[in-house]
């Protein structure tokens, strides 16, 4: 049996062919009749079954609007395949009105398939009704189920979260499952979820047993994304070869993460510095380590042990806390630099947030281990470099004497640029050592209290010219609202 998407494409192809034939016929008639008409009507009256098929793939909100505008299609929404009752659909409706509409849609649904069911709702005292909606969507082969539940008060002190019923664990068609404020108690052996591809969990209690059950039963799971979840102390991932993406964000109780996933391609972590260990990750290409600022000095051993597992990566986004963990340290009375190598790294995005002592030399002492870098983003935000004794006694001369070049570097961007002395020192450093640089972009700060007076740009461009090792390098300065330049692959958070 053909998939709904293929059916829709087939109907659209038929419609295009009819349009083409009718348009050709119109031109042919005009040519032979030798008329003086100056306008040709290219409109086509498509059959209702074609239009109904097209409308069935619209979000339910749009499909219902079409029904109110045209009596011809007043019942088209009964066949809708995308039942998206999210915040956008709610649009100021009262909870009773919202509940009534959702119930009406499910009661009158006459289509053979439901592709997606998204629900943003407080299920308090409506658990049986919500279960009915979920059950009907599963009976009609739903492929994406997104249940974003909410409730007033603290979920862990008040009402229990919505308990997912067995229908979900037995669903054979689900490929994408997104759950917020749900209670998950799956049996050890699942009857369904065998084609599940993506699992997103928010504000959920997660236990080691739950994680083990998912990976032992969901053979095609590629992406696991957990954020704001609780009771995760030791997250252990023993994954199938299909598993490629792991994201962990703001799980406050997490202490350790252990990953055994031979085909993992992407790892994103946001939170405090914890112990992270990879067994083997030869395919790892894309990493975000958005470490929260430490209250004291960064626990160096946790960062240093991690860096050796990341050598294959091509894209890295991280915070200054990570660089501080790798910065030179006094060992045996001597200042020693850590030895590591990122030979494949193409893009580096540094977010200067909560740095305690990170200075320009800490940045370049990391970058010098990345000879293949093509793009550098340093988000200065409201950060100002502090010139303390550590810089004056140990780092200034090393920074000034650094002589290596960045032969692959083509693009540099510094958001939050305030034209301060240390920022200009970084600009000078890069311009002098990037022989094939194509563009340098400086973006003024977004925050009002961090704003600096922008100099005369023409004079500023002339001031930078002597520093350029690449004669053709372009230099651009943008106000943050007018920035149209290239952005890094990752934003600070994804959730």
């Amino acid at each position: 049996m053909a998939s709904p998407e293929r059916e829709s494409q087939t109907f659209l192809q038929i419609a295009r062919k009819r349009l083409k034939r009718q348009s050709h016929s119109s031109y042919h008639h005009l040519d032979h009749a030798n008329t003086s008409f100056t306008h040709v009507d290219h409109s086509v009256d498509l059959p209702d079954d074609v239009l109904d098929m097209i409308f069935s793939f619209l979000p339910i909100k749009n499909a219902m609007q079409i029904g109110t505008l045209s009596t011809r299609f007043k019942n088209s929404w009964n066949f809708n395949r995308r039942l998206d009752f999210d915040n956008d659909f709610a649009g100021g409706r009262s909870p009773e009105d919202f509940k009534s509409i959702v119930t009406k849609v499910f009661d009158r649904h006459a289509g053979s398939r439901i592709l997606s069911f998204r629900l943003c709702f407080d299920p308090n005292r409506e658990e049986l009704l919500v279960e009915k909606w979920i059950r009907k969507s599963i009976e009609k082969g739903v492929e994406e189920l997104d249940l974003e539940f909410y409730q007033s008060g603290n979920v862990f002190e008040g009402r229990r979260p919505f308990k997912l019923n067995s229908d979900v664990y037995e669903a054979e068609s689900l490929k994408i499952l997104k759950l917020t404020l749900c209670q998950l108690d799956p049996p050890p052996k699942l009857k369904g979820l065998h084609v599940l591809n993506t699992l997103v969990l928010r504000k959920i209690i997660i236990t080691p047993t739950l994680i083990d059950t998912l990976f032992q039963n969901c053979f095609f799971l590629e992406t696991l994304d957990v954020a704001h979840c609780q009771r995760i102390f030791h997250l252990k991932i023993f994954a199938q070869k299909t598993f490629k993406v792991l994201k962990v964000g703001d799980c406050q109780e997490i202490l350790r993460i252990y990953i055994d996933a031979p085909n993992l391609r992407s790892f994103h972590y946001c939170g405090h510095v914890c112990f992270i260990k990879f067994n083997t990750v030869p395919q790892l290409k894309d990493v975000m380590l958005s470490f929260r600022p430490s209250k004291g000095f960064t626990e160096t051993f946790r960062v240093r042990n991690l860096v050796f597992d990341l050598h294959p990566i091509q894209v890295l986004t991280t915070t200054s806390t990570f660089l501080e963990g790798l910065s030179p340290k006094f060992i045996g009375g001597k200042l020693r630099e850590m030895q590591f190598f990122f030979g494949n790294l193409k893009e580096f995005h540094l977010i200067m947030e909560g740095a305690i002592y990170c200075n320009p030399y800490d940045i370049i002492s990391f970058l010098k281990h990345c000879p293949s870098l093509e793009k550098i983003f340093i988000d200065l935000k409201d950060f100002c470099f502090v010139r303390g004794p550590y810089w004056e006694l140990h780092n200034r001369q090393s920074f000034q004497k650094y002589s290596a070049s960045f032969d692959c570097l083509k693009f540099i961007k510094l958001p939050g640029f305030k034209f301060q002395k240390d920022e200009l020192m970084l600009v000078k450093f890069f311009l002098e050592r990037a022989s094939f640089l194509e563009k340098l972009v400086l973006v003024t700060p977004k925050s009002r209290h961090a704003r600096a007076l922008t100099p005369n740009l023409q004079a500023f461009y002339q001031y930078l010219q002597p520093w350029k090792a690449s004669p053709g390098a372009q230099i651009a300065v943008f106000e943050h609202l007018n920035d149209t330049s290239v952005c890094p692959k990752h934003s600070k958070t994804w959730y």
Side-chain angles (χ1 to χ4, degrees):
M1 181 179 292
S3 68
E5 291 86 350
R6 186 173 297 276
E7 291 177 13
S8 177
Q9 291 172 0
T10 302
F11 276 101
L12 287 172
Q13 289 170 357
I14 294 172
R16 291 192 187 101
K17 288 179 181 178
R18 291 180 180 176
L19 174 62
K20 186 175 181 180
R21 284 198 300 268
Q22 293 192 22
S23 298
H24 177 74
S25 175
S26 299
Y27 281 116
H28 183 73
H29 174 73
L30 288 174
D31 289 342
H32 286 268
N34 194 25
T35 63
S36 59
F37 294 148
T38 58
H39 174 72
V40 179
D41 184 5
H42 297 291
S43 63
V44 176
D45 188 14
L46 294 177
D48 288 1
D49 58 348
V50 175
L51 291 172
D52 281 338
M53 173 60 73
I54 294 172
F55 294 158
S56 74
F57 286 91
L58 293 174
I60 185 64
K61 180 179 179 180
N62 303 109
M64 295 180 79
Q65 288 171 342
I66 291 173
T68 61
L69 293 174
S70 171
T71 56
R72 178 183 174 189
F73 302 110
K74 65 180 181 180
N75 295 319
S76 292
W77 58 270
N78 292 337
F79 300 88
N80 192 264
R81 299 169 185 242
R82 299 197 178 276
L83 307 186
D84 299 344
F85 302 104
D86 49 17
N87 280 320
D88 180 59
F89 181 88
R93 291 185 173 94
S94 69
E96 286 300 317
D97 187 29
F98 181 89
K99 180 180 68 174
S100 175
I101 293 174
V102 177
T103 300
K104 180 179 179 180
V105 169
F106 273 103
D107 286 347
R108 293 185 57 179
H109 194 274
S112 60
R113 294 290 304 277
I114 294 176
L115 288 181
S116 66
F117 173 37
R118 296 190 179 99
L119 179 66
C120 183
F121 187 63
D122 183 354
N124 185 35
R125 300 179 181 177
E126 302 291 351
E127 288 84 357
L128 293 178
L129 183 59
V130 172
E131 288 179 5
K132 178 183 174 182
W133 298 339
I134 296 172
R135 186 176 300 111
K136 185 158 187 178
S137 71
I138 291 174
E139 288 172 354
K140 296 205 173 189
V142 68
E143 295 181 6
E144 179 178 352
L145 182 61
D146 185 349
L147 304 176
E148 185 181 348
F149 295 129
Y150 59 87
Q151 55 184 228
S152 58
N154 189 324
V155 62
F156 297 103
E157 294 177 359
R159 295 186 279 117
R160 292 171 65 88
F162 179 85
K163 185 173 181 179
L164 217 60
N165 59 18
S166 60
D167 294 319
V168 175
Y169 306 127
E170 296 175 2
E172 294 286 352
S173 57
L174 270 178
K175 296 180 180 179
I176 300 173
L177 180 59
K178 300 178 181 180
L179 303 172
T180 301
L181 273 179
C182 292
Q183 179 182 336
L184 276 64
D185 296 309
K189 188 67 175 177
L190 300 182
K191 295 181 180 180
L193 301 183
H194 298 314
V195 296
L196 188 67
N197 175 279
T198 300
L199 179 62
V200 179
L201 304 177
R202 299 285 184 266
K203 300 179 182 179
I204 287 175
I205 293 176
I206 296 180
T207 64
T209 302
L210 172 61
I211 296 295
D212 290 343
T213 298
L214 291 170
F215 279 102
Q216 289 170 9
N217 290 272
C218 304
F219 306 116
F220 295 97
L221 188 65
E222 290 188 10
T223 299
L224 175 62
D225 179 350
V226 299
H228 297 298
C229 292
Q230 296 205 7
R231 300 189 191 174
I232 310 179
F233 302 104
H234 302 280
L235 178 60
K236 296 182 180 180
I237 303 294
F238 296 94
Q240 306 282 345
K241 292 182 178 180
T242 54
F243 188 64
K244 297 178 181 178
V245 179
L246 175 62
K247 298 183 179 182
V248 182
D250 280 322
C251 299
Q252 300 296 329
E253 297 163 313
I254 201 160
L255 300 173
R256 299 171 63 91
I257 300 176
Y258 177 81
I259 304 166
D260 186 349
N263 288 328
L264 188 72
R265 304 292 180 86
S266 179
F267 174 66
H268 291 192
Y269 175 82
C270 185
H272 60 271
V273 180
C274 71
F275 181 85
I276 302 173
K277 178 63 180 175
F278 298 91
N279 182 26
T280 174
V281 282
Q283 304 298 322
L284 190 61
K285 308 296 182 189
D286 168 24
V287 170
M288 170 189 277
L289 297 170
S290 183
F291 288 134
R292 296 283 185 257
S294 300
K295 294 181 180 179
F297 284 91
T298 301
E299 295 183 60
T300 303
F301 75 94
R302 291 185 173 179
V303 174
R304 296 197 167 203
N305 289 338
L306 171 61
V307 76
F308 293 115
D309 291 333
L310 302 180
H311 64 88
I313 65 175
Q314 296 180 1
V315 178
L316 174 62
T317 295
T318 191
T319 56
S320 48
T321 300
F322 179 77
L323 287 198
E324 289 180 349
L326 298 178
S327 62
K329 299 291 188 295
F330 281 98
I331 301 175
K334 293 184 178 181
L335 190 65
R336 301 183 185 275
E337 293 190 5
M338 185 177 177
Q339 300 303 312
F340 56 89
F341 187 65
F342 286 112
N344 298 323
L345 193 65
K346 305 292 185 183
E347 177 180 315
F348 177 64
H349 178 197
L350 174 63
I351 303 170
M352 299 297 296
E353 182 179 71
I356 299 173
Y357 57 86
C358 188
N359 61 51
Y361 183 71
D362 292 322
I363 295 174
I364 68 160
S365 67
F366 175 83
L367 296 179
K368 70 182 181 182
H369 298 289
C370 313
S372 302
L373 270 176
E374 297 177 0
K375 296 179 182 178
I376 294 176
F377 301 86
I378 302 178
D379 192 345
L380 297 165
K381 302 180 82 64
D382 298 338
F383 179 79
C384 295
F385 292 103
V386 178
R387 295 190 175 201
Y390 176 72
W391 162 260
E392 296 295 343
L393 294 175
H394 305 290
N395 291 155
R396 178 194 286 276
Q397 288 187 348
S398 299
F399 182 88
Q400 294 172 343
K401 291 179 179 179
Y402 186 84
S403 58
S405 60
F406 295 93
D407 294 333
C408 298
L409 189 57
K410 297 178 181 179
F411 182 85
I412 304 169
K413 183 173 181 177
L414 277 69
F417 193 79
K418 299 175 286 296
F419 301 92
Q420 294 179 349
K421 186 174 181 179
D422 290 328
E423 295 173 348
L424 288 169
M425 184 167 57
L426 263 182
V427 168
K428 182 175 186 291
F429 175 87
F430 287 127
L431 287 176
E432 289 180 340
R433 290 163 178 80
S435 302
F436 300 96
L437 185 69
E438 296 176 359
K439 192 165 187 176
L440 167 68
V441 176
L442 308 175
V443 184
T444 59
K446 181 178 181 180
S447 165
R448 291 183 179 180
H449 68 269
R451 289 184 182 277
L453 291 176
T454 304
N456 179 283
L457 292 182
Q458 193 62 37
F460 180 69
Y461 293 145
Q462 292 298 321
Y463 177 73
L464 299 184
Q465 287 300 318
W467 297 347
K468 290 165 55 175
S470 173
Q474 298 179 0
I475 300 174
V477 178
F478 291 100
E479 291 284 341
H480 75 278
L481 291 176
N482 300 323
D483 178 21
T484 57
S485 62
V486 175
C487 293
K489 182 172 182 177
H490 306 139
S491 56
K492 184 182 174 183
T493 58
W494 65 93
Y495 51 93

